[in-house]
Amino acid sequence: MKKILKVFKTLFLTCIILAFVVSMSIFVYHKYQLSEESELIKSKETLVEINDRKINVYSEGKGKDTYVFMAGSGIAAPLYEMKGLYSKFSKEHKIAVVERAGYGYSNVSHDKRDIDTILEQTRESLILSGNKPPYILVPHSLSGLEAIYWAQKYPEEVKGIIALDIGLPEEYANYEMSLADSFTIRGMNVLTRIGFHRLFPSATYDPEVVRQSFLTVQEKEVFKAISYKQAFNNDMKQELLQNNKNAKKSVKLPIPVETPILFLSAYTDENKNATYTKQKVENYKQLADQLETAEVKEVKGRHSIYLYAPEEIYNLSVNFINEKVENDERPK
């Protein structure tokens, strides 16, 4: 028995030492790569300073309306990943891409990421970069929570919302994160700080961005470099840990009934009949029924629908704004 225990002890210690050596090797390689990639990602964009933290706001195009693009959770390089969509809008409209703290060229804030802080940083960064309200918000996924909260708190600043497969406040508020979920999120944060994500490129960034042609070869390299740098950092971790509390702040406020919203629900051939997909559309319709101006449209593509149907999204959005918002004669 003593011999068996000794063997197990030796194996255990060997595994611990091996894991430490592997982790340290990956960490050193990750730091080396970050140093090499730093020249690629020197910001040429508009960085504005808010409470000693820099937020990046990229603007292009001209027009009466400013479409504000807001990336979903974990989209490490929004300026590059969403280019295929916002470049269609900027041909005839002004656009702004806000890379909130921890994303793209913006600094990591290391705060708790409560929704009031996130929203005030977004609002202030837009003003400081020369983009004045009202805005047409184009949120994706988790950013839908911020967009709806924005319309609830400052309805005069939100002309409309183009909701790209967003999560609704009530959905996030009803989902209580389990201890296992919390540990998973914190564990992923630790692993990316060490650099393990470099072993799994397709989990670090969406390969579809690289496969498509809306980025130049140089931009694709910058996109990958930013993704490796910002992957699941502290701000992204905190966003997920706080989304339940943030959503509860939103559901306590009145629904923004006067804010026009176009809900675009993503589906694929594989999941179009899934319970989740049908329930998502139903939830959108239930909220739309409570709004004065709203539509629900289904768009074929994966969750990141801006990569799969940019032309359709652009046409649906412009038609909605022109027909349902610009022609709306309701008194404000």
Side-chain angles (χ1 to χ4, degrees):
M1 179 62 72
K2 287 183 179 180
K3 288 184 177 180
I4 294 175
L5 289 175
K6 187 176 181 179
V7 170
F8 275 114
K9 184 178 180 180
T10 301
L11 287 173
F12 179 73
L13 289 174
T14 301
C15 289
I16 293 294
I17 293 170
L18 183 61
F20 177 77
V21 171
V22 170
S23 297
M24 284 303 299
S25 299
I26 292 173
F27 178 73
V28 170
Y29 173 72
H30 177 48
K31 290 299 181 182
Y32 171 76
Q33 286 297 108
L34 288 177
S35 176
E36 290 290 297
E37 293 160 351
S38 62
E39 287 298 315
L40 273 176
I41 56 178
K42 286 185 175 179
S43 177
K44 299 177 182 178
E45 313 309 333
T46 304
L47 290 170
V48 297
E49 192 161 315
I50 301 173
N51 297 327
D52 298 323
R53 293 288 185 271
K54 292 182 179 180
I55 302 293
N56 183 46
V57 181
Y58 173 78
S59 303
E60 70 177 34
K62 294 181 180 179
K64 180 180 69 171
D65 297 322
T66 300
Y67 287 79
V68 178
F69 289 79
M70 306 160 69
S73 174
I75 307 302
L79 177 59
Y80 295 98
E81 180 154 336
M82 303 187 82
K83 183 179 180 180
L85 178 60
Y86 70 70
S87 60
K88 294 189 179 298
F89 283 81
S90 65
K91 292 176 182 178
E92 296 184 5
H93 309 277
K94 186 176 183 182
I95 68 94
V97 182
V98 181
E99 295 189 313
R100 60 186 179 276
Y103 288 75
Y105 291 105
S106 299
N107 293 161
V108 178
S109 66
H110 296 288
D111 58 30
K112 291 185 177 180
R113 297 282 79 196
D114 64 278
I115 194 167
D116 288 291
T117 297
I118 294 172
L119 177 56
E120 293 312 312
Q121 287 177 348
T122 300
R123 294 177 65 240
E124 188 174 352
S125 64
L126 283 166
I127 294 295
L128 290 175
S129 61
N131 295 286
K132 295 181 171 60
Y135 311 110
I136 298 172
L137 307 181
V138 191
H140 172 246
S141 194
L142 181 61
S143 284
L145 181 57
E146 181 187 358
I148 290 176
Y149 192 62
W150 195 339
Q152 290 172 308
K153 291 195 70 176
Y154 308 101
E156 71 283 357
E157 295 183 3
V158 182
K159 184 174 181 178
I161 298 175
I162 308 299
L164 306 179
D165 211 41
I166 66 169
L168 299 177
E170 195 160 329
E171 293 172 340
Y172 291 120
N174 290 336
Y175 178 75
E176 296 287 347
M177 186 173 292
S178 68
L179 191 61
D181 289 336
S182 177
F183 275 126
T184 299
I185 290 169
R186 295 175 193 276
M188 288 175 62
N189 173 249
V190 172
L191 290 174
T192 54
R193 289 167 68 181
I194 294 172
F196 275 94
H197 59 296
R198 287 191 181 270
L199 304 178
F200 308 97
S202 62
T204 304
Y205 56 82
D206 194 328
E208 189 66 24
V209 178
V210 179
R211 279 196 289 266
Q212 293 195 24
S213 59
F214 58 83
L215 296 180
T216 65
V217 172
Q218 173 72 5
E219 286 174 333
K220 288 178 181 179
E221 293 305 309
V222 177
F223 164 72
K224 289 189 282 188
I226 292 176
S227 297
Y228 283 126
K229 178 186 177 183
Q230 298 284 42
F232 217 84
N233 58 41
N234 286 338
D235 285 355
M236 296 181 189
K237 175 191 74 174
Q238 286 301 125
E239 279 183 353
L240 291 179
L241 294 175
Q242 294 295 321
N243 65 23
N244 178 262
K245 289 182 180 178
N246 287 338
K248 287 179 178 178
K249 286 186 176 182
S250 177
V251 297
K252 288 179 181 178
L253 298 177
I255 292 171
V257 293
E258 294 187 352
T259 301
I261 303 181
L262 171 62
F263 296 96
L264 300 180
S265 180
Y267 74 92
T268 63
D269 289 334
E270 294 78 18
N271 70 17
K272 63 182 178 181
N273 294 317
T275 302
Y276 165 76
T277 305
K278 292 180 178 180
Q279 186 59 55
K280 179 180 60 172
V281 173
E282 183 59 30
N283 291 345
Y284 287 161
K285 289 180 177 179
Q286 287 178 7
L287 179 54
D289 287 342
Q290 301 176 68
L291 305 176
E292 293 182 7
T293 306
E295 286 185 356
V296 178
K297 300 287 186 180
E298 295 183 63
V299 177
K300 188 174 183 179
R302 297 186 182 278
H303 180 50
S304 298
I305 47 174
Y306 49 82
L307 293 175
Y308 299 92
E311 189 71 33
E312 183 179 1
I313 292 170
Y314 173 71
N315 290 331
L316 288 170
S317 301
V318 172
N319 289 340
F320 178 76
I321 296 300
N322 289 342
E323 296 174 10
K324 302 294 184 179
V325 180
E326 297 292 358
N327 293 332
D328 187 355
E329 298 298 329
R330 289 181 290 105
K332 299 294 181 184

